[in-house]
Amino acid sequence: MRAVIQRCRSASVTVGDEVISSIGKGLCILIGISRNDTKKDIDYMVRKIVNLRIFEDENGKRWTHSVQDKKYEILCISQFTLYCTLKGNKPDFHHSMAADASEKFYSDFLSSMKAAYSDDKIKDGKFGALMQVNIQNDGPVTINLESPRNEGEVAN
């Protein structure tokens, strides 16, 4: 699994003309699922995301608190393009998990996030939809996170 984690002041997801999810201060996370990912990858990513110390404390000291410490929200967006490779100039997505399997996997990821943190603090986009994501990055702070490579997985 891959995640692009952005500390944000606010973030929202629109499908068509309808805002389907929005958060205030917290994290906006783009999630990519590879065809080789397992429950072990979900567990790793959830643990890292919820405990990632990228917020400051009440005295302004940086890198001391997690989203969970601050009780901020998290907006998760499934993004298969995070496992893109280029064939010349054309994107190829064969490293991404197939759509039907990844929808269940993504749902399991969201359930694990809610169980590890808070059901009402986790929001998401609409799986498989053409979405417009509005992110007001705070800092800017952007962290790339990848679960440990599975045995036999080929780097892309």
Side-chain angles (χ1 to χ4, degrees):
M1 290 182 77
R2 286 185 180 152
V4 175
I5 303 165
Q6 295 190 11
R7 187 176 73 185
C8 64
R9 292 181 180 255
S10 65
S12 63
V13 176
T14 303
V15 175
D17 293 329
E18 179 186 357
V19 175
I20 60 167
S21 285
S22 64
I23 64 168
K25 197 164 178 85
L27 300 176
C28 184
I29 305 173
L30 308 175
I31 301 291
I33 303 168
S34 94
R35 64 181 181 203
N36 297 319
D37 287 336
T38 67
K39 174 75 167 95
K40 186 176 174 182
D41 296 288
I42 289 175
D43 295 343
Y44 176 86
M45 296 298 275
V46 167
R47 185 177 70 254
K48 288 294 190 181
I49 290 167
V50 170
N51 294 298
L52 183 63
R53 296 184 310 179
I54 61 175
F55 295 97
E56 60 188 35
D57 68 13
E58 52 283 343
N59 299 317
K61 184 176 179 187
R62 295 181 181 182
W63 319 113
T64 58
H65 288 322
S66 70
V67 68
Q68 188 171 34
D69 296 334
K70 299 296 254 181
K71 301 195 180 353
Y72 292 152
E73 297 174 294
I74 299 174
L75 177 61
C76 299
I77 297 134
S78 175
Q79 188 170 352
F80 75 96
T81 60
L82 290 179
Y83 275 98
C84 170
T85 57
L86 293 179
K87 301 240 175 169
N89 291 324
K90 183 179 180 196
D92 179 272
F93 306 106
H94 74 276
H95 290 291
S96 297
M97 188 177 283
D100 52 340
S102 65
E103 185 170 13
K104 165 89 171 77
F105 194 90
Y106 179 68
S107 178
D108 292 347
F109 167 77
L110 290 175
S111 294
S112 292
M113 287 286 290
K114 290 175 180 181
Y117 182 31
S118 173
D119 189 55
D120 64 327
K121 299 280 188 195
I122 306 297
K123 310 283 177 71
D124 73 307
K126 183 174 181 183
F127 188 90
L130 182 59
M131 296 176 273
Q132 292 73 51
V133 181
N134 183 11
I135 305 167
Q136 185 181 13
N137 195 309
D138 182 22
V141 173
T142 302
I143 307 288
N144 293 317
L145 178 64
E146 188 158 359
S147 58
R149 194 168 315 285
N150 298 318
E151 283 186 42
E153 185 176 338
V154 177
N156 57 357

